[in-house]
Amino acid sequence: MKNILKSICIVAAFAISIGSAAAQNLKIATVDMQKLFNEYHLTQTTQEKVKVDQARIQQENGERLKKIRDLQAKIENLSKQKQDPTVSDKKRVELEREIQMRVSEGNAADNERRQWLARRNKALNENIVAEMRSILGEIREKVEAHARENDFDLVLDKSARSANQVETFVFVKDKFDITAQLLETLNKNAPAKPAEGDKAGE
């Protein structure tokens, strides 16, 4: 309840500040930062790269798992040979030694695979965070530049939410919104997309 009341107070404070700004004839605009981020061509390019990296990690992890499963199959086969009543005691001892060796080899391979997977995923996540932070910084710079060029006194993020995921601004008139203009600026140099129906090699 305290958090909800706090959010209401924050919204009320914004409303009062906007009312005061209007009284002073300040020039105000709104922008949907979430929309800018999601539809910026660099964001989409980065997301595609992430998918490629994730697929590559999954593929290599699958290859490592296959080798481990092959070892498990060998261990099962050796265990069946050991249980054969016609096998001599000497041979059974040899089989037991090989089974233990294969089990140790499999455990080591699986431990190494898990550590490798953790390292790769951590590195990928850190790279994603760095890329997204860079993109957000670039978007913010574009918004600030646009605000200065058009002499805006205040630009509000209409996609902003409180700690309780409640929309900070319940209603804002569309006439204040500059999201479309900024999207056009951000995607001005976006690479051309291939036409639908185009296939490689045609």
Side-chain angles (χ1 to χ4, degrees):
M1 179 63 72
K2 290 182 179 179
N3 289 333
I4 294 175
L5 290 174
K6 184 177 180 181
S7 298
I8 293 173
C9 289
I10 291 173
V11 173
F14 269 110
I16 292 170
S17 66
I18 291 174
S20 301
Q24 299 174 29
N25 295 319
L26 295 181
K27 193 174 180 182
I28 299 172
T30 62
V31 65
D32 190 330
M33 290 294 286
Q34 185 174 355
K35 183 179 180 68
L36 289 182
F37 178 79
N38 291 335
E39 298 186 18
Y40 186 21
H41 72 93
L42 286 183
T43 302
Q44 296 171 356
T45 299
T46 299
Q47 289 172 340
E48 289 301 319
K49 289 180 180 177
V50 168
K51 289 179 182 179
V52 171
D53 289 339
Q54 288 175 332
R56 187 179 295 116
I57 291 173
Q58 290 176 0
Q59 180 180 354
E60 188 169 344
N61 186 52
E63 292 170 356
R64 289 171 180 253
L65 279 171
K66 184 179 182 303
K67 292 179 180 178
I68 294 170
R69 293 192 185 102
D70 289 343
L71 274 172
Q72 291 173 339
K74 289 179 181 178
I75 292 170
E76 291 175 2
N77 184 49
L78 290 168
S79 296
K80 288 180 181 179
Q81 293 181 44
K82 179 186 170 185
Q83 293 170 5
D84 188 343
T86 63
V87 173
S88 65
D89 291 341
K90 180 180 178 180
K91 180 65 174 177
R92 188 170 286 108
V93 171
E94 292 176 355
L95 288 170
E96 179 60 29
R97 287 176 181 171
E98 187 171 359
I99 288 171
Q100 292 177 358
M101 182 183 69
R102 296 293 184 183
V103 168
S104 296
E105 184 181 349
N107 289 337
D110 194 46
N111 287 334
E112 197 280 331
R113 179 192 66 82
R114 291 174 186 275
Q115 293 173 9
W116 167 85
L117 186 60
R119 289 194 303 271
R120 288 296 302 272
N121 283 331
K122 181 181 178 182
L124 179 60
N125 289 335
E126 289 175 349
N127 185 59
I128 292 171
V129 170
E131 290 280 353
M132 297 304 152
R133 187 174 294 150
S134 175
I135 289 171
L136 283 170
E138 185 176 344
I139 291 173
R140 185 180 180 86
E141 288 177 1
K142 295 290 186 183
V143 173
E144 291 178 357
H146 185 86
R148 291 193 186 93
E149 290 171 6
N150 293 275
D151 198 29
F152 286 113
D153 297 294
L154 186 65
V155 178
L156 304 175
D157 178 12
K158 63 188 292 185
S159 65
R161 291 178 178 272
S162 69
N164 296 316
Q165 295 303 306
V166 177
E167 292 181 352
T168 304
F169 304 103
V170 179
F171 173 76
V172 181
K173 287 185 177 180
D174 290 339
K175 70 177 183 178
F176 295 116
D177 190 76
I178 57 173
T179 305
Q181 300 169 46
L182 284 163
L183 264 178
E184 185 176 349
T185 299
L186 285 167
N187 291 326
K188 180 173 61 177
N189 298 320
K193 295 181 179 180
E196 291 185 10
D198 286 356
K199 295 182 180 178
E202 289 187 350

